[in-house]
Amino acid sequence: MRPRAVVAGGAGFIGYTFVSRLLQEDFDVVIVDNLATGTRHNVNELLCEDRCEFYERDICEPVEISGPIDYVVNLACPASPVDFSRIPVEIMRTCSEGTYHLLELALHKGAEFLQASTSEVYGDPEVHPQREDYTGNVNISGPRAVYDEGKRYAEVLTLTYHRTLDVPVHIARIFNTYGPRMRPDDGRVVSNFCVQALTGQPLTVYGDGNQTRCFCYVEDLTEGLFRFMTSQYTGPFNIGSPEEITMNELAQRVLEVTGSSSAIEQRPLLHPDDPKRRRPAVERVNEALGWQPVTDLTTGLRQTLAWFAQAVEE
Ligand code: UDP
């Protein structure tokens, strides 16, 4: 029998790519998504495959799905910093009640559970690069805390189901990810810079632009998630690119790749506790799963820009 996976958040940017990967691997897939940030367009494309089903549901309510399930994957949560102030209560409920309902589903079905955690569990890190045993520096009173603490809670709940109820779990701390299917208006730096460069608007660098991130191409990320989900490892594992770049350098790179003559403008930071440096230590995931990203930033940006060019036109 083919393995069957429930993917919460399967209509989103990472979710779409992950579901496509599962379908390639001959899985049956049930997408559960409330379309808060995922799109009907993504779902319709995935449903072309008759091994894929869609339940339009909010995981904040109990999730009931008939038939056997081998894997429950939790990719459901708005993850762009602009969402943190736009829908903070929804984010906290998705991380807490939503993760609980999916863990209950995994428990009752005897399924394995993959939790998408985040580099945000490290907050504005004082240790660089961030290893999985670093406990983080989250400002509990800051605007990012709804997501950071929500995801930290979700990790604890996931590990608790593992330790006390024997649910096999995998916890992936996903670092910055980019690629086709990002929403042009999601407010993230790659989306903003690409759309701005393509439409001749100034590229908006927040703060002094010296803050760093590492950007992983979405297909590399989903390869890592797939290997992790089908492994015996619990983690947590960082999954991300170790190639670090400042936002000023990223703006330059986007201009080079597009050939755009857009200016670069400085704007105030969106959140005062915007992490200054972020880079995953990837030794653990590399050793355990033999995984590392293979797509360099320029190549990945070309693919992403092709997607945005089409999205901007529509
Ligand atoms: N950023 C920027 N210009 C933008 C959007 C974001 O300079 O138009 C910066 C933001 O302040 C942060 C970095 O880019 O330092 C990454 O932001 P993003 O929202 O993509 O994700 P984060 O890593 O903060 O979750």
Side-chain angles (χ1 to χ4, degrees), residues 30-295:
V30 181
I31 297 171
V32 177
D33 203 303
N34 67 353
L35 301 182
T37 53
T39 68
R40 173 71 58 181
H41 179 78
N42 285 345
V43 173
N44 287 345
E45 283 194 22
L46 292 165
L47 287 178
C48 290
E49 194 66 67
D50 61 8
R51 284 175 290 114
C52 190
E53 296 166 76
F54 175 51
Y55 288 57
E56 187 171 343
R57 300 273 162 76
D58 189 335
I59 57 168
C60 294
E61 304 300 324
V63 182
E64 282 170 22
I65 291 176
S66 56
I69 297 170
D70 302 291
Y71 298 94
V72 175
V73 180
N74 185 13
L75 299 176
C77 191
S80 171
V82 293
D83 297 327
F84 304 166
S85 25
R86 188 176 65 89
I87 41 172
V89 175
E90 288 85 342
I91 288 175
M92 292 209 81
R93 291 191 61 212
T94 303
C95 290
S96 53
E97 291 157 68
T99 304
Y100 165 70
H101 291 136
L102 294 176
L103 279 163
E104 281 291 301
L105 179 69
L107 177 68
H108 290 115
K109 296 286 185 178
E112 293 192 33
F113 187 79
L114 173 72
Q115 171 63 16
S117 187
T118 168
S119 54
E120 292 278 341
V121 298
Y122 302 120
D124 186 5
E126 294 152 312
V127 169
H128 193 79
Q130 293 81 55
R131 284 176 23 155
E132 287 88 345
D133 55 6
Y134 174 48
T135 52
N137 176 38
V138 173
N139 174 8
I140 194 172
S141 319
R144 297 180 84 100
V146 290
Y147 185 72
D148 300 10
E149 296 292 3
K151 286 287 186 179
R152 287 169 67 98
Y153 171 90
E155 274 202 29
V156 180
L157 193 65
T158 302
L159 263 188
T160 305
Y161 269 68
H162 177 58
R163 287 183 181 140
T164 62
L165 298 164
D166 280 336
V167 176
V169 306
H170 314 278
I171 298 172
R173 292 183 180 156
I174 298 175
F175 280 62
N176 293 69
T177 305
Y178 72 103
R181 310 271 160 184
M182 293 185 96
R183 283 182 299 119
D185 60 351
D186 79 0
R188 289 170 163 143
V189 68
V190 172
S191 323
N192 283 1
F193 285 180
C194 288
V195 171
Q196 289 159 347
L198 288 169
T199 55
Q201 300 168 64
L203 273 56
T204 52
V205 169
Y206 298 166
D208 63 12
N210 290 323
Q211 67 272 38
T212 67
R213 295 291 187 272
C214 298
F215 295 96
C216 186
Y217 191 61
V218 66
E219 283 184 14
D220 289 341
L221 174 89
T222 50
E223 170 66 28
L225 290 179
F226 182 74
R227 287 193 200 185
F228 192 12
M229 181 185 91
T230 50
S231 78
Q232 80 279 25
Y233 293 100
T234 297
F237 286 159
N238 292 334
I239 306 195
S241 161
E243 199 188 327
E244 191 174 352
I245 185 170
T246 68
M247 295 312 99
N248 288 325
E249 288 164 342
L250 179 69
Q252 283 300 343
R253 188 77 69 92
V254 169
L255 291 183
E256 275 162 35
V257 175
T258 51
S260 165
S261 53
S262 286
I264 296 179
E265 275 182 17
Q266 278 198 352
R267 298 278 169 85
L269 284 175
L270 207 59
H271 296 140
D273 43 9
D274 192 302
K276 286 176 268 312
R277 292 188 79 185
R278 180 186 287 161
R279 173 153 65 95
V282 288
E283 288 77 11
R284 273 197 196 176
V285 67
N286 185 254
E287 202 171 296
L289 307 177
W291 177 84
Q292 58 185 19
V294 294
T295 312

